[in-house]
């Protein structure tokens, strides 16, 4: 099996997997970073969202050989001690229910705010449109993104 | 409030080797109506450590409904614990915890008195220990912040300094609950336990379990219900890097339907064992299986619904009050309407998965299950194990909604682990998950009403026809279940009322879906009442209040009666909150529905805008809830938000269609779910009272569906009698 060197949360990691292995399964099964979740395998639900080169991407549809050039940020690497403003806002508003989609939601929110620190409600809706929550935490997510934006302002 | 315990010995205090005080509670003794188990077993619900930290057991599975926080909160409240120094520990499945299933909105209902009794008992023991130590009367003490507090002198003794004395105190026979107005934890917004882990990827779900020597598996099942495997060619699959083995899962070889009602019903398929999840998925794609569909009815949605319609005149009577024929003869007018609701999948965000280590006749399971009781029962029946050979862990669960009441995926995993003699993590693909669900039953429902000259209901007949989730052997027959229950709304409110059920056999696997029958039956009932209001040129809420009649207790069934005043109160409040009586611009409309569920009362108003292309935008939802005491407002509000959104999503998009005996949908592109931009603002208020807390997981869902349909009518003049709204 070929081996690949990835940069995950700013650390270089080498894995031996087939070239067509999605990043999701490299993170989960090879590197033990299970915060990134499997939901659909088709880039439809957003549970597997990670940052690659600063963009929110669906790790279930990106093969390992296509993510070798830049840093991959997973939920585990978003901050030290949950101190990212998005995580802080999420905790203040007690957002999760089952929690399974939340890593993907948080990564999407953090990416949105990194590009647009003061999004309108419409921009939040658009920026978060790729992430499904089955429990219905959407209203709190929207509020938490706004709260995180206000924290970034401070 | 005093709770006298007729039974002694239902609590045991022990000091552990490390010096911690462990309060074991005999849970069955706390439930006066339950027979005592032969052997007293004590569940270690409370542990007070020498460093002042308190461990509290969360006994039920956490599926996102917040019980891992709410149940320990009740324990902590009565104990007088400092919540900031409480560690919540998830229980494994164990009969010492009595019932551990999650469903029917029952967690708080069943555990409120239990948790209070256990907490209060330990509080009393600690107070007595302090009283002895300080030589002051017990009446002068309270507990607070994990300390016993002498109210007259302000002297305190931390719990941890009372461990030795407390363990020697004879146990009280009577417990006194704290007055509800002195609550310091219950009723406060307590952030859920695990919150820090949930926002940083550290919360471990079943799908995240990794064991030494573990292998990974997936399964390709016959998409056709009742189908089997004729033959398969696994040569290409075995060539996939990482594939270890291919194993056929054969229904008949494992007892088939042996397990009976509500037990796993195996679907035949072929499993791929590999050294990674991805290799197992890849291997499954390379399998060439010839399916045997000779046993399938090859059903399709159109034909199934035709059969449901045809069954309407051929029913059994589930409830009969007064005489509907007589009401019909003396009616000033009558009205009837027929409604259709579709099959629904659960589509939990975490797909079905399980990890099992089944070696040397010991079966250790990490199961995302709502129903560990059924899982244990299944393993016992399938493998002839004794309960002590089974250990079931209950990790966090990525959504359940009723799907994980069934344990088919866990049984598959146990079969595979036993066969290959290694720990196995089985992960279903999303496609398998949606195609092999236990679907919410679709149905056809007809309501007929006799009306007096004021347009009020004198006779009510509700007929529901479908294949029932309660008929375990959908194919072979057996006793027919019913999907309309004798207590269904408006039973008890109308003098002449008949609820009828028409039963149809089908291959489609059916099961509980959040709010169960009410998820399907509230839509016709509350849309019909809205139709009657408009027929009589009355405001919908005015008509509903007139329909409810005066404030009173209405006997429904057995000793269960319902307090009409509580329903009226939430209706009047939502009317005010939603601005119901203020005009809306053209193209907008408000819809309303209110009902009772799991002992709670809820009224909802949905406001929509429908544009010229018939595209519906939900603008706002208002909900008023009376669930008695609200244990954790943050978690309770989350349940209402989630229930409402789930109802709205299902009403707009939810539909599983059947073609040639299989589900046509397979993933989120064709089983659509609401996205952020479609989500309205939701305004929720709770009625404050001191009544015992009731269920909240399910009740908010059903009214959202008719409230939305009624709002669309108000906006457009177009009635919706068939779901989903968006095709």
């Amino acid at each position: 099996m070929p081996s690949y060197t990835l940069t995950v949360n700013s650390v270089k990691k080498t894995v031996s997997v087939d070239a067509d292995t999605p990043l999701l399964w490299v993170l989960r099964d090879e590197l033990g970073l299970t915060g990134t979740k499997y939901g659909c395998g088709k880039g439809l639900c957003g549970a597997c969202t990670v940052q690659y080169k600063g963009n929110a991407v669906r790790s279930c549809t990106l093969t390992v050989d296509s993510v070798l050039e830049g840093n991959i940020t997973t939920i585990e690497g978003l901050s030290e001690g949950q101190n990212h403003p998005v995580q802080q806002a999420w905790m203040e508003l007690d957002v999760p229910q089952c929690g399974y989609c939340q890593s993907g939601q948080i990564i999407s929110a953090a990416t949105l705010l990194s590009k647009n620190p003061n999004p309108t409600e419409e921009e939040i809706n658009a920026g978060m449109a790729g992430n499904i929550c089955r429990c219905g935490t959407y209203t709190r997510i929207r509020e938490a993104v706004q709260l995180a934006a206000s924290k970034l302002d401070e | 409030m005093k709770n006298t315990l007729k039974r002694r010995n239902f609590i045991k205090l022990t000091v552990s080797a490390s010096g911690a005080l462990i309060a074991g509670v005999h849970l069955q003794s706390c439930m006066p109506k339950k027979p005592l188990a032969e052997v007293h077993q004590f569940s270690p619900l409370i542990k007070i450590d020498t460093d002042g930290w308190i461990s509290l057991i969360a006994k039920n599975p956490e599926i996102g409904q917040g019980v891992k926080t709410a149940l320990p909160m009740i324990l902590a409240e009565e104990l007088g614990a400092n919540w900031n120094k409480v560690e919540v520990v998830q229980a494994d499945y164990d009969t010492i915890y009595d019932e551990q299933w999650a469903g029917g909105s029952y967690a708080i209902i069943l555990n409120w008195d239990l948790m209070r009794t256990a907490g209060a008992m330990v509080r009393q023991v600690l107070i007595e220990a302090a009283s002895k130590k300080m030589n002051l009367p017990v009446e002068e003490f309270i507990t607070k912040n994990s300390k016993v507090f002498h109210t007259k002198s302000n002297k305190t003794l931390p719990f941890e300094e009372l461990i030795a004395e407390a363990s020697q105190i004879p146990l009280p026979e009577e417990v006194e609950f704290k007055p509800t107005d002195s609550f310091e934890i219950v009723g406060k917004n307590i952030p859920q336990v695990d919150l820090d882990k949930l926002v940083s990827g550290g919360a471990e779900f079943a799908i995240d379990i990794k064991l030494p020597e573990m292998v990974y598996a997936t399964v390709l099942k016959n998409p056709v219900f009742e189908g089997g495997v004729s033959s398969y060619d696994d040569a290409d699959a075995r060539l996939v890097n990482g594939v270890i083995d291919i194993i056929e899962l054969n229904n008949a070889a494992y007892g088939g339907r042996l397990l009976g009602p509500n037990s796993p019903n195996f679907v035949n398929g072929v499993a791929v064992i590999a050294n990674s999840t991805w290799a197992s998925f890849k291997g499954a794609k390379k399998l060439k299986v010839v399916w045997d569909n000779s046993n399938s009815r090859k059903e399709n949605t159109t034909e199934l619904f035709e059969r449901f319609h045809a069954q309407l005149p051929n029913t059994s009577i589930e409830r009969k009050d007064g005489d509907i024929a007589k009401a019909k003869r003396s009616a000033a007018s009558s009205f009837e309407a027929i409604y259709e609701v579709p099959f629904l999948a659960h589509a939990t965000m975490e797909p079905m998965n399980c990890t099992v280590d089944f070696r040397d006749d010991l079966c250790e399971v990490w199961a995302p299950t709502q129903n560990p009781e059924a899982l244990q029962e299944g393993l016992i029946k399938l493998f002839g194990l004794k309960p002590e050979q089974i250990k079931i862990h209950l990790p966090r669960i990525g959504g359940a909604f009723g799907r994980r009441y069934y344990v088919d995926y866990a049984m598959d995993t146990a079969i595979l682990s036993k066969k290959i003699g290694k720990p196995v993590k089985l992960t279903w693909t999303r496609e398998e998950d949606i195609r092999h669900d236990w679907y919410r039953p679709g149905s056809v429902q007809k309501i007929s009403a006799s009306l007096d000259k004021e347009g009020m209901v004198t006779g009510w007949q509700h007929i529901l026809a479908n294949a029932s989730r309660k008929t375990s052997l959908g194919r072979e027959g057996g006793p027919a279940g019913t999907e309309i229950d004798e207590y269904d709304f408006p039973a008890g409110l109308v003098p002449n009322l008949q609820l009828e059920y028409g039963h149809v056999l089908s291959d489609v696997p059916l099961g509980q879906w959040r709010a169960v029958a009410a998820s399907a039956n509230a839509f016709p009932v509350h849309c019909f009442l809205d139709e009657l209001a408009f027929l009589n040129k009355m405001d919908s809420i005015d008509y509903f209040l007139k329909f409810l009649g005066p404030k009173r207790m209405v006997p429904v069934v057995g000793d269960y009666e319902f307090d009409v005043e509580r329903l009226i109160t939430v209706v009047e409040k939502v009317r005010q909150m939603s601005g119901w009586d203020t005009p809306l611009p053209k193209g907008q409309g408000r819809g309303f529905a209110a009902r009772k569920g799991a002992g709670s009362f809820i009224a909802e108003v949905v406001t929509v805008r429908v544009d010229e292309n018939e595209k519906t935008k939900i603008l706002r939802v208002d909900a008023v809830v009376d669930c008695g005491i609200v244990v954790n407002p943050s978690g309770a509000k989350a349940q209402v938000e989630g229930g409402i959104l789930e109802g709205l999503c299902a009403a707009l998009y939810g539909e599983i269609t059947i073609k040639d005996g299989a589900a046509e949908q397979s993933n989120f592109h064709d089983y659509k779910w609401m996205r952020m931009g479609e989500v309205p603002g939701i305004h929720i208020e709770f009625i404050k009272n001191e009544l015992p807390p009731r269920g909240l997981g399910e009740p908010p869902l059903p009214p959202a569906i008719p409230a939305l349909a009624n709002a669309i009518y108000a906006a457009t003049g177009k009635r919706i009698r068939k779901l989903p709204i968006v095709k």
Side-chain angles (χ1 to χ4, degrees):
Chain A
M1 242 183 266
S3 78
Y4 298 94
T5 300
L6 312 165
T7 311
V8 182
N9 300 326
S10 307
V11 180
K12 291 229 184 297
K13 300 273 182 188
T14 301
V15 293
S16 291
V17 292
D18 279 339
D20 65 354
T21 307
L23 173 61
L24 168 68
W25 298 112
V26 173
L27 294 171
R28 289 183 54 81
D29 289 353
E30 306 297 323
L31 301 177
L33 295 169
T34 52
T36 305
K37 301 299 191 215
Y38 167 64
C40 68
K42 299 262 169 74
L44 299 165
C45 77
C48 68
T49 307
V50 297
Q51 274 182 5
Y52 176 58
K53 294 184 179 174
N55 296 314
V57 296
R58 312 296 171 217
S59 66
C60 73
T61 55
L62 280 180
T63 55
V64 63
D65 60 356
S66 69
V67 289
L68 304 173
E69 286 161 14
N71 186 43
I72 297 154
T73 304
T74 70
I75 188 71
E76 292 90 348
L78 187 62
S79 72
E80 296 265 320
Q82 305 95 33
N83 64 9
H84 189 283
V86 169
Q87 290 168 312
Q88 293 287 314
W90 242 252
M91 291 200 281
E92 267 181 62
L93 296 175
D94 198 14
V95 171
Q97 288 185 34
C98 87
Y100 193 80
C101 73
Q102 299 293 331
S103 303
Q105 303 275 8
I106 289 168
I107 294 286
S108 288
T111 313
L112 168 68
L113 293 178
S114 71
K115 292 167 192 284
N116 178 1
N118 275 302
T120 62
E121 191 168 320
E122 283 67 35
E123 286 166 343
I124 294 172
N125 290 343
M128 301 301 294
N131 293 76
I132 293 178
C133 170
R134 243 323 249 106
C135 298
T137 63
Y138 288 120
T139 51
R140 289 195 196 193
I141 291 174
R142 197 153 52 202
E143 218 183 311
V145 176
Q146 285 160 343
L147 179 62
S150 73
K151 285 177 186 290
L152 285 167
D153 268 354
E154 283 162 11
Chain B
M1 186 173 131
K2 277 191 183 168
N3 187 12
T4 307
L5 300 154
K6 301 254 164 64
R7 292 159 171 167
R8 305 190 61 159
N9 303 330
F10 84 110
I11 192 164
K12 190 170 82 179
L13 298 178
T14 46
V15 179
S16 74
S18 65
L21 182 74
I22 298 167
V25 181
H26 186 241
L27 288 169
Q28 284 172 314
S29 311
C30 301
M31 290 184 277
K33 283 181 186 166
K34 289 208 119 191
L36 272 181
E38 278 177 24
V39 183
H40 282 218
Q41 286 178 302
F42 296 89
S43 53
L45 287 182
I46 300 170
K47 181 177 149 202
I48 299 170
D49 243 308
T50 50
D51 61 0
W53 275 84
I54 296 177
S55 302
L56 301 176
I57 291 282
K59 65 188 259 299
N60 287 14
E62 176 60 61
I63 57 178
Q65 84 284 44
V67 282
K68 193 173 177 181
T69 308
L71 296 186
M73 277 174 70
I74 304 169
L75 269 178
E77 178 66 65
E78 284 290 349
L79 180 62
N82 174 2
W83 185 256
N84 296 323
K85 284 185 85 176
V86 162
E87 184 200 15
V88 173
V89 179
Q90 176 67 51
D92 288 334
Y93 174 66
D94 196 318
T95 48
I96 61 171
Y97 296 114
D98 205 63
E99 289 163 1
Q100 283 180 282
W101 49 272
S105 306
Y106 270 119
I108 297 288
I109 300 174
L110 292 180
N111 289 293
W112 171 247
D113 278 350
L114 219 60
M115 294 297 121
R116 287 188 89 184
T117 306
M121 182 66 82
V122 177
R123 162 173 40 85
Q124 281 172 215
V125 168
L126 289 163
I127 284 179
E128 211 172 316
S131 140
K132 280 220 166 95
K133 205 166 179 173
M134 293 166 81
N135 204 16
L136 289 163
V138 285
E139 296 74 34
E140 293 173 3
F141 289 90
I142 58 166
T143 56
K144 206 174 173 167
N145 280 326
S146 299
K147 287 178 184 132
V148 180
F149 179 77
H150 184 245
T151 48
K152 290 195 171 162
S153 67
N154 286 346
K155 280 184 190 155
T156 61
L157 269 174
F159 288 175
E160 65 270 23
E161 287 177 21
L162 292 163
I163 291 173
E165 290 81 0
S167 66
Q168 302 304 317
I169 300 281
L171 297 166
E173 283 175 46
E174 199 174 66
V175 290
E176 194 165 346
F177 292 156
K178 276 171 88 166
T180 52
D181 61 6
S182 71
F183 282 173
E184 295 189 330
I185 297 170
V186 167
K188 301 285 184 304
N189 280 308
I190 300 287
Q192 66 194 299
V193 299
D194 293 345
L195 187 54
D196 53 340
K197 295 185 192 127
L198 286 167
V199 302
S200 55
E204 191 172 61
F205 293 76
I207 203 168
D208 303 329
I209 302 287
K210 191 167 189 172
L211 302 172
E213 296 178 60
M214 183 180 87
V215 294
Y216 300 79
T218 197
V219 61
L220 183 68
K221 298 207 170 198
N222 189 335
V224 174
F225 310 130
E226 299 298 325
V229 175
S230 181
S231 64
Y232 64 94
D233 170 0
D234 61 10
D236 289 349
R238 285 184 186 273
L239 290 177
V240 172
N241 257 338
V243 167
I244 298 166
D245 204 354
I246 311 284
I247 295 170
E248 185 181 342
L249 284 167
N250 184 324
N251 184 339
Y254 294 99
R257 298 179 188 282
L258 185 74
L259 302 175
N262 286 335
S263 281
N265 174 18
F266 298 105
V267 179
N268 295 309
V270 182
V272 179
I273 314 287
N275 64 10
S276 72
T277 313
W278 177 243
S280 73
F281 284 10
K282 251 173 99 177
K285 277 195 186 143
K286 300 272 184 187
L287 284 170
K288 295 186 194 96
V289 188
V290 180
W291 301 114
D292 170 11
N293 294 330
S294 56
N295 209 27
S296 160
R297 280 194 176 88
K298 300 178 183 65
E299 289 169 332
N300 65 68
T301 312
T302 313
E303 166 265 331
L304 267 167
F305 276 79
E306 280 168 9
R307 284 202 278 141
F308 298 165
H309 275 282
Q311 200 65 26
L312 288 173
N314 184 9
T315 60
S316 59
I317 294 170
E318 303 297 323
R319 183 188 178 110
K320 185 177 160 64
D321 292 351
D323 184 346
I324 54 164
K326 205 171 152 191
K328 207 169 196 172
R329 285 195 296 275
S330 57
S333 64
S334 64
F335 184 68
E336 65 175 46
I338 295 179
Y339 301 83
E340 283 185 23
V341 297
F343 295 94
L344 293 176
H346 298 82
T348 61
M349 287 310 296
E350 179 186 11
M352 295 308 110
N353 73 88
C354 189
T355 301
V356 177
D357 185 356
F358 195 163
R359 287 183 287 189
D360 306 325
D361 291 326
L362 282 175
C363 186
E364 191 168 5
V365 186
W366 289 259
T369 179
Q370 287 176 265
N371 198 350
E373 283 86 348
L375 175 51
Q376 190 199 47
E377 185 195 333
L379 292 168
I380 288 170
K381 286 192 181 168
L382 196 56
F383 301 106
L385 295 172
K386 297 188 182 75
E388 56 269 26
Q389 291 174 291
I390 300 166
K391 186 157 183 62
I392 299 170
H393 304 282
L394 303 172
R396 275 195 80 95
I397 298 174
F401 317 111
R403 172 60 180 90
R404 300 184 203 270
Y405 194 76
Y406 308 95
V407 295
D408 43 346
Y409 52 93
M411 304 305 284
D412 285 349
T413 320
I415 290 167
L416 294 173
S417 178
K418 186 174 169 68
K419 198 144 200 165
I420 62 173
K422 279 187 177 174
V424 174
K425 173 155 74 184
L426 173 73
T427 305
W428 285 15
T429 61
R430 174 60 63 195
E431 286 75 13
E432 289 296 320
D433 181 272
I434 290 190
R435 286 177 184 147
H436 292 293
D437 203 337
W438 299 63
Y439 305 96
R440 196 282 303 275
S443 58
V444 171
Q445 306 192 34
K446 179 181 171 184
I447 304 180
S448 316
S450 299
L451 307 167
D452 63 18
K453 58 183 187 303
E454 286 178 15
M456 298 315 292
V457 177
T458 54
W460 177 281
Q461 183 187 30
H462 184 172
I463 307 174
L464 189 154
N466 74 352
S468 169
R469 86 204 121 86
K470 293 183 196 162
T471 308
S472 57
L473 312 182
R475 182 166 189 86
E476 291 106 27
T482 174
E483 291 292 332
I484 189 160
D485 294 307
E486 56 180 338
Y487 49 81
D488 270 14
F489 193 88
L493 289 170
V494 181
N496 306 295
L497 171 137
Q498 208 153 293
L499 305 178
E500 300 175 37
Y501 182 60
H503 181 237
V504 171
L505 287 173
S506 161
D507 288 347
V508 182
L510 302 168
Q512 327 279 24
W513 193 89
R514 191 173 184 175
V516 198
S519 75
N521 305 0
F523 161 65
V525 167
H526 296 276
C527 286
F528 189 84
L529 286 169
D530 196 68
E531 296 209 36
L532 292 181
F534 277 85
L535 208 64
N536 290 294
K537 300 185 173 59
M538 273 178 81
D539 172 86
S540 297
I541 292 184
D542 287 342
Y543 186 85
F544 186 77
L545 289 171
K546 201 171 170 189
F547 177 80
L548 288 181
K551 294 171 179 175
R552 66 202 186 282
M553 296 301 285
V554 174
V556 180
V557 60
D559 58 1
Y560 154 48
E561 49 181 12
F562 106 70
D563 185 347
V564 176
E565 182 173 4
R566 292 177 78 184
L567 191 54
I568 291 172
T569 305
V570 293
V571 171
E572 284 173 343
K573 183 105 188 167
V574 87
R575 169 175 217 150
Q576 188 190 2
M577 201 172 129
S578 63
W580 176 264
D581 296 302
T582 59
L584 285 171
K586 199 176 174 320
Q588 294 190 19
R590 291 190 191 97
F592 154 83
R595 58 190 278 129
K596 183 177 178 303
S600 295
F601 299 82
I602 185 155
E604 295 173 14
V605 168
V606 173
T607 308
V608 299
R609 183 180 62 230
V610 184
D611 68 18
E612 52 280 7
N613 303 318
E614 293 195 356
K615 195 166 162 36
T616 298
K617 167 90 181 156
I618 303 168
L619 301 174
R620 171 185 173 125
V621 181
D622 293 88
V624 178
V625 186
D626 173 1
C627 61
I629 291 169
V630 181
V631 174
N632 183 1
S634 178
K637 203 161 160 262
Q639 287 303 293
V640 181
E641 289 161 352
I644 288 170
L645 286 179
E646 187 158 9
L648 297 176
C649 283
L652 284 175
Y653 306 120
E655 185 176 33
I656 288 289
T657 53
I658 313 296
K659 194 181 174 193
D660 299 328
E664 288 190 280
Q665 290 70 24
S666 64
N667 209 321
F668 289 114
H669 65 290
D670 53 10
Y671 193 69
K672 216 182 146 194
W673 212 252
M674 207 181 242
R675 307 244 171 194
M676 183 68 90
E678 300 166 89
V679 172
I682 303 178
H683 307 262
I684 298 162
E685 276 195 33
F686 288 91
I687 301 289
K688 281 198 170 59
N689 60 39
E690 303 294 307
L691 295 161
R694 290 294 172 251
L696 259 193
E698 297 172 318
L701 187 152
I705 299 169
L708 172 61
N710 294 337
I712 292 173
Y713 175 76
T716 64
K718 219 178 124 190
R719 277 290 168 201
I720 290 161
R721 290 184 181 165
K722 186 175 178 173
L723 297 176
I725 293 162
V726 181
K727 272 280 185 182

